[in-house]
Amino acid sequence: MKKIAVLTSGGDSQGMNSAIRAVVRTGLSNGFEMFGVRKGFKGLMNNDFIKLGSKEVSDILYRGGTFLQSARSEAFKTPEGQAKAIEHLKNKGIDYVVVIGGDGSYRGAQALQRQGIKTYGLPGTIDNDIPLTDYTIGFDTTLNVVTDAIGNLRDTMSSHERVSVIEAMGRNCGDIALQAGIASGVDAIIIPEVKADINKIAADLKAGFERGKSHSMVIVAEGAGKAEDIAKEIKTLSGLDTRPTVLGHIQRGGTPSVFDRVFTSRMGHEVIDLIKQDIVGVALGIESNKITYHTFDEIFATENKINDHLYQVFQDLI
Ligand code: ATP
């Protein structure tokens, strides 16, 4: 009987629970023995395994976070740390490990793969910064959280005729800012992939107020700058009352969206299919609404790019 372990690693994201549930339930339906590893690679080194039946993954589909918990571990990057993890897997007779995490976690999965453990990656990060997938797990939910927050800020900015500069997560990737910005009809989007002309942004915002606007919204991706600095600059250049807001960790929480629940269910189902076919060392994604997979090497060799068309859509709508 195949024995399969699943773990969540790196930053958590909404939809990880749904992915775990899908892997476990599909594995059980195929007669496999399923294990969870608590706290990511750290738990793998510390022999922190739990046996997972259907009941253990009940009531988690609609919960944010990850019930297996997540961790970052420097020790796992060392050959000694990886040897410990492999020893525990071998002792339990576990051949397959499904890693739900971001690009760092994929490096860890690849390291295990190279040492004979059959590994799989599911793109668990809100940042949408993994190549060869249109969406990462939690990204869609985060867009909804950010879009709601911008709506709330707009109400109060309107009452006081202010400019709001909102800082969104995403590390070096501007996707959260770009897509939440389009969904919110903001006036300017500042992302690391496109050089911002702050003088033009300030002049456009000023002109908007002169035309009678009661508020203006600017979204900045954390990789492109700090809301506080950008708000100060806009205020100096335009004279407008400009307030910064850092959305912070609120973006990582909340009940996963329908999209995140459905696509993680599909990916969890698909990974068991790949295990049955003994296709190994791959990470899954969703491309043009199809569940796809690529080797870790292919993923690391591909540059993650902003969707230029979407950026153009935004430019044409302001
Ligand atoms: P997020 O994008 O949400 O931050 P992530 O998976 O990229 O998630 P990281 O902290 O980069 O988060 O990586 C998670 C863990 O993966 C690390 O703490 C480490 O244990 C393991 N890891 C990262 N890089 C490597 C590597 N080169 N070799 C082995 N393991 C690694």
Side-chain angles (χ1 to χ4, degrees):
M1 188 205 288
K2 289 189 197 307
K3 292 187 181 183
I4 303 167
V6 56
L7 61 86
T8 48
S9 166
D12 70 337
S13 68
Q14 315 92 327
M16 280 182 160
N17 276 326
S18 166
I20 297 166
R21 173 182 176 271
V23 173
V24 171
R25 290 253 169 104
T26 313
L28 294 170
S29 297
N30 281 275
F32 302 149
E33 207 174 335
M34 304 302 298
F35 296 86
V37 184
R38 278 193 281 239
K39 299 186 182 151
F41 293 124
K42 197 181 201 173
L44 212 49
M45 291 186 305
N46 293 340
N47 206 11
D48 198 354
F49 290 80
I50 45 172
K51 190 132 192 270
L52 294 177
S54 187
K55 189 172 159 289
E56 280 69 35
V57 293
S58 292
D59 263 351
I60 62 167
L61 170 64
Y62 33 78
R63 293 188 204 281
T66 159
F67 90 103
L68 288 175
Q69 297 189 290
S70 190
R72 300 187 199 270
S73 163
E74 282 305 308
F76 184 75
K77 293 184 181 171
T78 65
E80 298 75 26
Q82 290 165 21
K84 249 197 231 169
I86 290 169
E87 191 188 326
H88 296 314
L89 287 165
K90 293 242 156 95
N91 285 343
K92 291 201 157 42
I94 297 171
D95 288 322
Y96 300 88
V97 179
V98 178
V99 174
I100 306 171
D103 54 350
S105 304
Y106 279 13
R107 296 268 173 205
Q110 189 184 45
L112 290 177
Q113 173 70 33
R114 287 188 171 142
Q115 294 170 77
I117 305 294
K118 297 171 176 179
T119 60
Y120 300 83
L122 299 190
T125 168
I126 64 166
D127 298 339
N128 211 35
D129 61 352
I130 295 191
L132 300 173
T133 183
D134 298 338
Y135 287 84
T136 55
I137 297 170
F139 172 60
D140 182 67
T141 306
T142 296
L143 290 181
N144 284 291
V145 172
V146 174
T147 302
D148 280 354
I150 295 175
N152 292 351
L153 285 164
R154 183 185 294 113
D155 292 344
T156 169
M157 295 300 143
S158 262
S159 306
H160 298 280
E161 297 198 329
R162 285 176 179 153
V163 177
S164 182
V165 177
I166 301 131
E167 185 180 316
M169 282 184 167
R171 291 210 200 190
N172 296 319
C173 177
D175 272 13
I176 294 175
L178 176 58
Q179 296 201 31
I182 291 174
S184 307
V186 300
D187 301 276
I189 294 177
I190 302 175
I191 54 176
E193 296 88 344
V194 181
K195 195 169 164 26
D197 181 346
I198 197 77
N199 288 305
K200 183 173 183 318
I201 290 173
D204 288 349
L205 295 176
K206 196 166 177 215
F209 276 87
E210 281 163 6
R211 282 196 314 273
K213 280 187 70 135
S214 59
H215 61 255
S216 278
M217 313 302 286
V218 176
I219 186 164
V220 54
E222 64 183 350
K226 289 195 181 311
E228 203 178 334
D229 299 340
I230 291 164
K232 260 188 210 149
E233 225 177 328
I234 290 175
K235 192 171 184 176
T236 307
L237 292 166
S238 68
L240 297 167
D241 186 0
T242 308
R243 303 294 173 107
T245 301
V246 179
L247 296 179
H249 283 86
I250 200 163
Q251 294 164 91
R252 290 191 177 281
T255 188
S257 67
V258 170
F259 178 84
D260 272 320
R261 294 186 213 183
V262 173
F263 111 95
T264 48
S265 297
R266 291 172 66 195
M267 281 200 303
H269 189 272
E270 181 72 17
V271 82
I272 297 294
D273 220 45
L274 294 174
I275 287 173
K276 279 158 60 181
Q277 297 173 62
D278 223 24
I279 295 170
V280 300
V282 294
L284 283 75
I286 183 164
E287 296 172 271
S288 304
N289 203 26
K290 282 204 166 63
I291 302 297
T292 57
Y293 60 88
H294 299 274
T295 62
F296 290 118
D297 284 342
E298 274 178 280
I299 287 169
F300 293 135
T302 307
E303 193 192 342
N304 189 53
K305 285 195 182 141
I306 199 81
N307 184 326
D308 291 331
H309 174 68
L310 267 185
Y311 191 76
Q312 190 56 48
V313 167
F314 168 71
Q315 294 284 28
D316 291 343
L317 291 179
I318 46 174

